[in-house]
Amino acid sequence: MNHKTDIVKAGEKNIEKTRTLETVLPSVDIFESEEEILLFADMPGVLKEDLRVNIDNGTLSLSGVRKLQPRGAARWEEFGDVEYRRNFSVPQTINVEKVYAELKDGVLKLHLPKSEAAKPRLIQINAA
Amino acid sequence: MLTRLSDINRLFNAMDFFRNRLDSLYSDADWAYPAGLKWSVEDRFPKTNLYEDGDLFEIRAELPGIAKEDLNVKIQGNYLEISGAKKSGTPEKYSIHRTERDITSFTRSFTLPADVDSEKVKATLENGILTLTLPKSEAAKPKQITIA
Protein backbone atom coordinates (compact mmCIF):
# COMPACT_ATOMS: atom_id res chain seq x y z
CA MET A 1 0.00 0.00 0.00
CA ASN A 2 1.38 3.35 -0.95
CA HIS A 3 0.86 5.84 1.81
CA LYS A 4 2.64 8.64 0.03
CA THR A 5 -0.64 9.77 -1.39
CA ASP A 6 -1.91 10.20 2.13
CA ILE A 7 -3.77 13.47 2.25
CA VAL A 8 -3.92 13.39 6.01
CA LYS A 9 -0.44 14.13 7.22
CA ALA A 10 -0.03 12.19 10.39
CA GLY A 11 2.97 14.31 11.35
CA GLU A 12 5.16 13.00 14.10
CA LYS A 13 3.34 9.68 14.29
CA ASN A 14 4.87 8.43 11.07
CA ILE A 15 8.46 9.45 11.55
CA GLU A 16 9.73 6.05 12.57
CA LYS A 17 7.32 4.04 10.52
CA THR A 18 9.35 1.98 8.13
CA ARG A 19 6.76 -0.54 7.04
CA THR A 20 3.09 -0.27 6.50
CA LEU A 21 1.16 -2.73 8.56
CA GLU A 22 -2.58 -2.61 8.44
CA THR A 23 -4.08 -1.68 11.77
CA VAL A 24 -7.33 -3.24 12.81
CA LEU A 25 -9.53 -2.97 15.85
CA PRO A 26 -9.80 -6.22 17.73
CA SER A 27 -13.33 -7.14 18.78
CA VAL A 28 -13.70 -7.04 22.51
CA ASP A 29 -16.04 -8.17 25.23
CA ILE A 30 -15.94 -6.30 28.50
CA PHE A 31 -17.49 -7.65 31.67
CA GLU A 32 -17.50 -6.35 35.20
CA SER A 33 -17.92 -8.03 38.54
CA GLU A 34 -17.53 -6.78 42.07
CA GLU A 35 -13.89 -7.81 42.06
CA GLU A 36 -12.66 -6.97 38.60
CA ILE A 37 -13.20 -5.83 35.07
CA LEU A 38 -12.63 -8.58 32.56
CA LEU A 39 -11.70 -7.89 28.98
CA PHE A 40 -11.54 -10.37 26.11
CA ALA A 41 -10.00 -9.37 22.81
CA ASP A 42 -9.89 -11.48 19.65
CA MET A 43 -6.40 -11.53 18.23
CA PRO A 44 -6.11 -14.67 16.13
CA GLY A 45 -2.57 -15.56 15.13
CA VAL A 46 -0.84 -13.19 17.53
CA LEU A 47 1.95 -14.77 19.54
CA LYS A 48 2.66 -13.94 23.16
CA GLU A 49 5.95 -12.28 22.24
CA ASP A 50 4.24 -9.92 19.83
CA LEU A 51 1.60 -8.68 22.21
CA ARG A 52 1.90 -5.54 24.29
CA VAL A 53 -0.50 -4.50 27.00
CA ASN A 54 0.21 -1.12 28.47
CA ILE A 55 -1.51 0.91 31.12
CA ASP A 56 -0.30 4.43 31.30
CA ASN A 57 -2.00 7.41 32.83
CA GLY A 58 -5.46 5.92 32.75
CA THR A 59 -5.17 4.58 29.21
CA LEU A 60 -5.02 0.91 28.49
CA SER A 61 -3.51 0.17 25.12
CA LEU A 62 -3.44 -3.19 23.46
CA SER A 63 -1.19 -3.89 20.54
CA GLY A 64 -0.66 -7.27 18.96
CA VAL A 65 1.21 -7.92 15.74
CA ARG A 66 0.39 -10.94 13.64
CA LYS A 67 3.04 -12.33 11.34
CA LEU A 68 1.84 -15.12 9.10
CA GLN A 69 4.19 -17.32 7.18
CA PRO A 70 2.67 -17.57 3.74
CA ARG A 71 2.99 -20.85 1.94
CA GLY A 72 3.18 -21.24 -1.81
CA ALA A 73 0.95 -19.02 -3.90
CA ALA A 74 -2.14 -17.40 -2.48
CA ARG A 75 -5.34 -18.29 -4.29
CA TRP A 76 -7.30 -15.97 -2.08
CA GLU A 77 -6.40 -14.01 1.00
CA GLU A 78 -8.96 -12.49 3.33
CA PHE A 79 -6.59 -11.80 6.16
CA GLY A 80 -2.92 -11.00 6.34
CA ASP A 81 -0.32 -9.51 8.62
CA VAL A 82 -1.95 -6.92 10.78
CA GLU A 83 -1.52 -5.00 13.95
CA TYR A 84 -4.42 -5.29 16.34
CA ARG A 85 -4.55 -2.04 18.21
CA ARG A 86 -7.08 -0.54 20.55
CA ASN A 87 -7.11 1.92 23.41
CA PHE A 88 -9.42 2.10 26.38
CA SER A 89 -9.81 4.43 29.32
CA VAL A 90 -9.48 2.60 32.59
CA PRO A 91 -11.09 3.94 35.73
CA GLN A 92 -8.95 5.13 38.61
CA THR A 93 -10.29 2.32 40.73
CA ILE A 94 -8.24 -0.33 38.94
CA ASN A 95 -5.30 -1.73 40.84
CA VAL A 96 -2.71 -1.47 38.09
CA GLU A 97 -0.19 -3.57 40.01
CA LYS A 98 -2.44 -6.58 39.94
CA VAL A 99 -3.53 -6.55 36.32
CA TYR A 100 -2.77 -9.81 34.59
CA ALA A 101 -3.23 -11.15 31.11
CA GLU A 102 -3.59 -14.55 29.48
CA LEU A 103 -3.43 -15.40 25.80
CA LYS A 104 -5.18 -18.56 24.71
CA ASP A 105 -6.50 -19.70 21.33
CA GLY A 106 -5.92 -16.25 19.89
CA VAL A 107 -7.96 -14.55 22.57
CA LEU A 108 -6.46 -12.15 25.06
CA LYS A 109 -8.05 -12.32 28.49
CA LEU A 110 -7.21 -9.37 30.64
CA HIS A 111 -8.08 -9.21 34.31
CA LEU A 112 -8.25 -5.73 35.78
CA PRO A 113 -8.82 -6.14 39.52
CA LYS A 114 -10.44 -3.30 41.38
CA SER A 115 -8.61 -1.76 44.27
CA GLU A 116 -9.85 -2.61 47.74
CA ALA A 117 -11.32 0.83 48.22
CA ALA A 118 -13.49 0.47 45.13
CA LYS A 119 -15.09 -2.85 46.04
CA PRO A 120 -18.59 -2.67 47.36
CA ARG A 121 -18.70 -3.32 51.05
CA LEU A 122 -21.53 -4.38 53.23
CA ILE A 123 -21.53 -2.25 56.35
CA GLN A 124 -22.33 -4.05 59.52
CA ILE A 125 -24.88 -2.27 61.63
CA ASN A 126 -24.16 -2.58 65.29
CA ALA A 127 -26.99 -2.54 67.72
CA ALA A 128 -26.58 0.42 69.98
CA MET B 1 -8.31 -10.09 -15.96
CA LEU B 2 -8.59 -9.94 -12.23
CA THR B 3 -8.31 -13.53 -11.16
CA ARG B 4 -7.09 -13.15 -7.64
CA LEU B 5 -8.77 -11.57 -4.73
CA SER B 6 -5.50 -9.89 -3.85
CA ASP B 7 -5.60 -8.00 -7.16
CA ILE B 8 -9.02 -6.71 -6.32
CA ASN B 9 -7.91 -5.93 -2.83
CA ARG B 10 -5.16 -3.81 -4.18
CA LEU B 11 -7.69 -1.71 -6.04
CA PHE B 12 -9.51 -1.04 -2.82
CA ASN B 13 -6.44 -0.27 -0.77
CA ALA B 14 -7.11 3.43 -0.83
CA MET B 15 -10.59 2.83 0.45
CA ASP B 16 -9.32 0.52 3.16
CA PHE B 17 -6.89 3.17 4.18
CA PHE B 18 -9.63 5.73 4.75
CA ARG B 19 -11.79 3.18 6.46
CA ASN B 20 -9.00 2.38 8.88
CA ARG B 21 -8.50 6.03 9.59
CA LEU B 22 -12.17 6.38 10.38
CA ASP B 23 -12.09 3.23 12.50
CA SER B 24 -9.18 4.57 14.47
CA LEU B 25 -11.17 7.70 15.28
CA TYR B 26 -13.40 5.45 17.28
CA SER B 27 -10.48 3.71 18.85
CA ASP B 28 -8.76 6.90 19.92
CA ALA B 29 -11.81 8.59 21.28
CA ASP B 30 -13.14 5.43 22.86
CA TRP B 31 -16.71 6.61 22.72
CA ALA B 32 -19.41 4.32 23.87
CA TYR B 33 -20.51 3.31 20.42
CA PRO B 34 -22.80 0.45 19.53
CA ALA B 35 -21.09 -2.91 19.66
CA GLY B 36 -19.11 -3.81 16.60
CA LEU B 37 -19.81 -0.64 14.67
CA LYS B 38 -17.22 -0.31 11.98
CA TRP B 39 -16.91 1.53 8.72
CA SER B 40 -17.10 -1.61 6.70
CA VAL B 41 -19.59 -4.13 5.55
CA GLU B 42 -19.96 -7.27 7.59
CA ASP B 43 -17.16 -9.67 6.86
CA ARG B 44 -17.78 -13.31 6.37
CA PHE B 45 -16.85 -15.49 9.27
CA PRO B 46 -14.41 -17.10 9.52
CA LYS B 47 -12.03 -15.24 7.28
CA THR B 48 -9.90 -17.63 5.27
CA ASN B 49 -6.80 -17.76 3.13
CA LEU B 50 -6.14 -20.38 0.51
CA TYR B 51 -2.61 -21.16 -0.56
CA GLU B 52 -1.53 -23.52 -3.27
CA ASP B 53 1.85 -25.15 -2.95
CA GLY B 54 2.59 -27.77 -5.59
CA ASP B 55 0.88 -30.95 -4.45
CA LEU B 56 -1.21 -29.42 -1.74
CA PHE B 57 -3.57 -26.70 -0.74
CA GLU B 58 -3.47 -24.98 2.57
CA ILE B 59 -6.50 -23.29 4.08
CA ARG B 60 -6.13 -21.02 7.03
CA ALA B 61 -9.05 -19.65 8.96
CA GLU B 62 -9.27 -17.12 11.76
CA LEU B 63 -11.08 -18.80 14.63
CA PRO B 64 -10.29 -16.98 17.84
CA GLY B 65 -11.55 -18.59 21.01
CA ILE B 66 -13.00 -21.64 19.35
CA ALA B 67 -12.14 -24.94 20.96
CA LYS B 68 -10.95 -27.92 18.95
CA GLU B 69 -13.96 -29.92 20.09
CA ASP B 70 -16.40 -27.32 18.80
CA LEU B 71 -15.08 -27.33 15.28
CA ASN B 72 -16.18 -29.51 12.38
CA VAL B 73 -14.41 -29.89 9.08
CA LYS B 74 -16.06 -31.82 6.28
CA ILE B 75 -14.42 -32.70 3.00
CA GLN B 76 -15.79 -34.41 -0.03
CA GLY B 77 -13.94 -34.28 -3.32
CA ASN B 78 -13.32 -30.57 -3.77
CA TYR B 79 -16.00 -29.45 -1.36
CA LEU B 80 -14.93 -28.23 2.05
CA GLU B 81 -17.10 -27.11 4.90
CA ILE B 82 -15.98 -25.54 8.17
CA SER B 83 -18.58 -25.19 10.86
CA GLY B 84 -18.64 -24.77 14.58
CA ALA B 85 -19.98 -23.03 17.61
CA LYS B 86 -18.63 -20.95 20.40
CA LYS B 87 -19.70 -21.83 23.88
CA SER B 88 -18.45 -18.92 25.91
CA GLY B 89 -21.04 -16.42 26.99
CA THR B 90 -21.14 -13.98 29.83
CA PRO B 91 -19.25 -15.37 32.79
CA GLU B 92 -21.31 -15.78 35.92
CA LYS B 93 -21.66 -12.85 38.31
CA TYR B 94 -20.39 -10.46 35.66
CA SER B 95 -22.34 -7.63 34.12
CA ILE B 96 -21.87 -6.73 30.48
CA HIS B 97 -20.26 -3.56 29.22
CA ARG B 98 -19.57 -4.51 25.64
CA THR B 99 -20.01 -7.60 23.56
CA GLU B 100 -18.55 -7.46 20.10
CA ARG B 101 -17.30 -11.02 19.98
CA ASP B 102 -20.79 -12.27 19.51
CA ILE B 103 -20.29 -15.02 16.95
CA THR B 104 -22.13 -18.05 18.28
CA SER B 105 -22.27 -20.49 15.41
CA PHE B 106 -20.97 -20.39 11.89
CA THR B 107 -20.69 -22.39 8.70
CA ARG B 108 -18.65 -21.65 5.66
CA SER B 109 -18.18 -23.81 2.64
CA PHE B 110 -15.78 -23.68 -0.27
CA THR B 111 -15.23 -25.27 -3.58
CA LEU B 112 -11.53 -25.97 -3.84
CA PRO B 113 -9.82 -25.52 -7.19
CA ALA B 114 -9.15 -29.28 -7.37
CA ASP B 115 -10.09 -32.53 -5.67
CA VAL B 116 -8.22 -33.36 -2.49
CA ASP B 117 -7.31 -36.63 -0.85
CA SER B 118 -9.56 -36.49 2.20
CA GLU B 119 -7.66 -39.34 3.88
CA LYS B 120 -4.47 -37.34 4.09
CA VAL B 121 -5.86 -34.03 5.27
CA LYS B 122 -4.18 -32.60 8.34
CA ALA B 123 -5.72 -30.00 10.59
CA THR B 124 -4.15 -27.95 13.36
CA LEU B 125 -5.63 -25.25 15.51
CA GLU B 126 -3.05 -22.92 16.97
CA ASN B 127 -3.35 -19.45 18.43
CA GLY B 128 -6.84 -19.13 17.06
CA ILE B 129 -5.86 -20.01 13.51
CA LEU B 130 -7.01 -23.22 11.91
CA THR B 131 -4.62 -24.62 9.34
CA LEU B 132 -5.81 -27.35 7.01
CA THR B 133 -3.25 -29.07 4.83
CA LEU B 134 -5.06 -30.66 1.91
CA PRO B 135 -2.99 -32.85 -0.42
CA LYS B 136 -4.38 -32.90 -3.93
CA SER B 137 -5.78 -36.18 -5.14
CA GLU B 138 -3.60 -38.16 -7.55
CA ALA B 139 -5.56 -37.02 -10.58
CA ALA B 140 -5.20 -33.37 -9.69
CA LYS B 141 -1.47 -33.40 -8.98
CA PRO B 142 0.82 -31.59 -11.37
CA LYS B 143 2.66 -34.08 -13.59
CA GLN B 144 5.92 -33.86 -15.36
CA ILE B 145 5.51 -34.86 -18.96
CA THR B 146 8.54 -36.38 -20.62
CA ILE B 147 8.92 -35.41 -24.23
CA ALA B 148 9.53 -38.46 -26.30
Side-chain angles (χ1 to χ4, degrees), chain A residues 3-77:
Chain A
H3 278 196
K4 280 186 179 157
T5 51
D6 184 4
I7 57 159
V8 189
K9 284 263 188 292
E12 69 267 30
K13 266 189 188 170
N14 275 344
I15 284 177
E16 287 187 22
K17 211 171 183 181
T18 49
R19 56 191 176 143
T20 50
L21 197 61
E22 203 189 331
T23 310
V24 295
L25 283 180
S27 297
V28 297
D29 282 355
I30 302 175
F31 303 113
E32 184 176 350
S33 75
E34 288 178 4
E35 278 82 37
E36 61 172 8
I37 292 174
L38 189 57
L39 183 146
F40 292 91
D42 280 348
M43 295 185 173
V46 175
L47 303 178
K48 210 175 78 180
E49 306 84 75
D50 301 321
L51 183 61
R52 297 272 171 283
V53 179
N54 241 313
I55 300 179
D56 183 27
N57 206 7
T59 305
L60 164 70
S61 51
L62 309 177
S63 164
V65 176
R66 170 170 70 195
K67 297 172 209 144
L68 298 168
Q69 261 78 48
R71 174 168 195 175
R75 282 280 192 140
W76 72 67
E77 249 178 348

Side-chain angles (χ1 to χ4, degrees), chain B residues 43-54:
Chain B
D43 289 314
R44 282 185 280 183
F45 187 89
K47 279 197 215 166
T48 57
N49 289 353
L50 175 66
Y51 301 99
E52 184 173 357
D53 191 1

Side-chain angles (χ1 to χ4, degrees), chain B residues 119-131:
Chain B
E119 300 289 313
K120 290 181 189 152
V121 170
K122 266 185 243 147
T124 51
L125 186 60
E126 216 176 348
N127 299 316
I129 299 218
L130 170 73
T131 307

Side-chain angles (χ1 to χ4, degrees), chain A residues 1-3 6-10 13-14 17 22-34 36-38 40-48 66 68-80 82 84-89 103-107 111, chain B residues 4-6 9 13-14 16-21 23 26-28 30 33 38 44 46-53 56-67 86 89-91 93-102 108 110-113 127-129 133:
Chain A
M1 190 153 53
N2 185 5
H3 278 196
D6 184 4
I7 57 159
V8 189
K9 284 263 188 292
K13 266 189 188 170
N14 275 344
K17 211 171 183 181
E22 203 189 331
T23 310
V24 295
L25 283 180
S27 297
V28 297
D29 282 355
I30 302 175
F31 303 113
E32 184 176 350
S33 75
E34 288 178 4
E36 61 172 8
I37 292 174
L38 189 57
F40 292 91
D42 280 348
M43 295 185 173
V46 175
L47 303 178
K48 210 175 78 180
R66 170 170 70 195
L68 298 168
Q69 261 78 48
R71 174 168 195 175
R75 282 280 192 140
W76 72 67
E77 249 178 348
E78 293 170 355
F79 64 96
V82 291
Y84 285 103
R85 192 164 63 194
R86 197 155 173 182
N87 296 329
F88 301 92
S89 310
L103 184 66
K104 189 179 171 264
D105 295 339
V107 179
H111 297 267
Chain B
R4 288 182 180 182
L5 201 72
S6 54
N9 270 341
N13 268 346
D16 284 347
F17 175 71
F18 281 112
R19 202 195 64 217
N20 283 328
R21 275 297 160 92
D23 279 346
Y26 278 135
S27 171
D28 291 346
D30 193 44
Y33 58 87
K38 284 172 194 169
R44 282 185 280 183
K47 279 197 215 166
T48 57
N49 289 353
L50 175 66
Y51 301 99
E52 184 173 357
D53 191 1
L56 51 88
F57 293 111
E58 188 178 289
I59 284 248
R60 291 186 198 169
E62 277 188 327
L63 294 164
I66 312 256
K86 200 195 260 183
T90 313
K93 291 184 188 167
Y94 282 81
S95 59
I96 301 168
H97 281 284
R98 269 184 207 185
T99 47
E100 299 167 7
R101 304 163 60 246
D102 52 1
R108 213 178 151 183
F110 314 89
T111 308
L112 297 167
N127 299 316
I129 299 218
T133 313

